[in-house]
Amino acid sequence: MREDVNALVHRIDSGRMRELLVDFVNLQSVNDRALAASEWYAGLLRASGAVEARVRHEGLIAPAVVAGFPGTMRAPALQFVGYLALPGPVRRRAFSVNGHVYGRAVGTCAAGLIAAAEAARVLATDSPLPGGGLLFLARPIGDPSAGTEDFARLIGQGIVGKAAVITSGPSRLVPLEGLGSCMFQVVFTAPGEHATMSGPEATVIDAAHMLCSALRRRQRALHRECTSLAGPEAVVVGRMGGGEHFELTPGTSWVQGVWRFGPSRGERSTRAEIEGLARRAAAACGATAVTTFRVGRQPFVLDRAFPLVRELQASYRAVWGSDLPEGGCRVPSDMPIFLSHGVPAVCHGPRQVSVRAEGGEECVAIDDLVRLAEVYLRLSVSILRESTPDGGSALSGGDAVINTARESQAALVGQGRSQ
């Protein structure tokens, strides 16, 4: 890092990144090799200069890769957070052709992790890094609530930087607002009857239809009322059903869906509104309603005054020659987990050239992957240089959002060996 950052940029190896990306995607796509993908990425980080990299299992719902690139201070200044793809249906193996890599979840998961590892490799050639160095965390993408619990547990153990970059999400804007998600299920119950005995009264099937119609009307109203950078809230009914036989009036029906709510609403008011709509539909049909919820991600608002936001915009401008505009994110993010613990966080992922529905195949251009690694490299240099000797940082813009790790990176990565 004694060299000029422009000289460091020339060390980024596009051919190496292409080969690693293809191998990584293929490894993650094999149903019985999910753990192997974690070990593979931990090995890549070790080969890239991490002081220690290992797969953590203790007390976690899913295994997590944790690695540290040492700095001159004990507390890591910047943390890269990424996702390993879950095994699933694959139409064909990942491959590279005409300057692009095609494969399952290559853009959503793998490309950002490879770009971050390459940036760290370049920086580590002149180690130790100034300031607090870098910390890596990667875990399987999947159940949102499980991810929230694991991240919160690791943060509570001190495995966290003073700022975090999530290596997936929007690539052409910096999200200052984002929607949360609440999965819901409403079950309507009432006595069932044989078709020859039933009267003209409404049934639980009617209650389910009434709820769906009410949610659709609410969706239209939310579009009209929208003032958020993230866009209007979304209410989606994904499944509904009821009954056991075509000649029996059903005694049970159900509706399942998701409500993506904004920062101004919050989880409680979202739950209250769904429960109110369900009760009214049930009452109109002489049924009872039981509603259950599961919150996947919380909404967020990011302060545009955070130096982390400005540094990301400056790094993007230096690479792409254009500004990175401010906007909103409609896809639920893990940013709120870090923000709620006082850690400034941003999402910035790879540009996806195209997405193919068959087998979830995605496409990323190698040139764009190199540019993403350069953005991460320039951002890391800026953040590391801003780390102050006393363990504080200019990253947060205020003491209220500083969360300093308590141990050195090597110790952080090694936690749990004696547990």
Side-chain angles (χ1 to χ4, degrees), residues 218-233:
R218 193 68 186 97
Q219 170 78 87
R220 297 193 189 100
L222 290 169
H223 274 261
R224 293 193 300 268
E225 300 165 2
C226 174
T227 59
S228 170
L229 285 173
E233 298 184 23

Side-chain angles (χ1 to χ4, degrees), residues 65-90:
V65 179
V66 182
F69 289 78
T72 57
M73 293 162 45
R74 293 175 64 83
L78 184 63
Q79 178 177 11
F80 284 101
V81 180
Y83 305 99
L84 305 168
L86 290 176
V90 179

Side-chain angles (χ1 to χ4, degrees), residues 64-66 79-82 113 135-139 151 154 159 338:
V65 179
V66 182
Q79 178 177 11
F80 284 101
V81 180
L113 285 173
L135 182 66
F136 274 70
L137 174 60
R139 73 175 305 280
F151 278 133
L154 290 167
I159 301 179
F338 294 90

Side-chain angles (χ1 to χ4, degrees), residues 15-245:
R16 180 177 185 272
M17 294 176 70
R18 180 187 66 251
E19 294 176 3
L20 289 171
L21 183 57
V22 171
D23 291 345
F24 192 29
V25 173
N26 282 330
L27 188 59
Q28 293 186 80
S29 299
V30 182
N31 283 330
D32 60 351
R33 300 289 298 280
L35 182 58
S38 302
E39 296 286 0
W40 185 95
Y41 190 65
L44 172 62
L45 293 176
R46 281 192 293 271
S48 300
V51 66
E52 187 176 1
R54 62 187 295 259
V55 179
R56 290 280 305 270
H57 299 271
E58 305 87 356
L60 302 179
I61 298 172
V65 179
V66 182
F69 289 78
T72 57
M73 293 162 45
R74 293 175 64 83
L78 184 63
Q79 178 177 11
F80 284 101
V81 180
Y83 305 99
L84 305 168
L86 290 176
V90 179
R91 186 170 65 90
R92 55 181 173 176
R93 289 175 58 82
F95 64 96
S96 175
V97 63
N98 297 328
H100 294 77
V101 173
Y102 295 83
R104 178 179 177 272
V106 64
T108 16
C109 296
L113 285 173
I114 294 297
E118 179 67 7
R121 182 190 69 83
V122 171
L123 290 170
T125 57
D126 196 23
S127 61
L129 305 181
L134 302 175
L135 182 66
F136 274 70
L137 174 60
R139 73 175 305 280
I141 193 169
D143 187 333
S145 57
T148 299
E149 292 177 21
D150 279 353
F151 278 133
R153 187 172 291 110
L154 290 167
I155 291 173
Q157 295 173 0
I159 301 179
V160 63
K162 294 177 184 175
V165 176
I166 297 175
T167 63
S168 65
S171 61
R172 290 180 171 86
L173 59 85
V174 52
L176 297 183
E177 292 186 18
L179 301 180
S181 62
C182 177
M183 286 70 77
F184 63 87
Q185 175 179 276
V186 179
V187 178
F188 297 100
T189 58
E193 296 177 317
H194 192 277
T196 58
M197 302 295 293
S198 61
E201 296 82 7
T203 69
V204 291
I205 292 292
D206 298 303
H209 280 283
M210 289 178 65
L211 176 59
C212 291
S213 297
L215 291 171
R216 174 55 57 190
R217 290 192 298 270
R218 193 68 186 97
Q219 170 78 87
R220 297 193 189 100
L222 290 169
H223 274 261
R224 293 193 300 268
E225 300 165 2
C226 174
T227 59
S228 170
L229 285 173
E233 298 184 23
V235 186
V236 177
V237 173
R239 299 179 66 204
M240 65 175 296
E244 297 180 358
H245 192 273

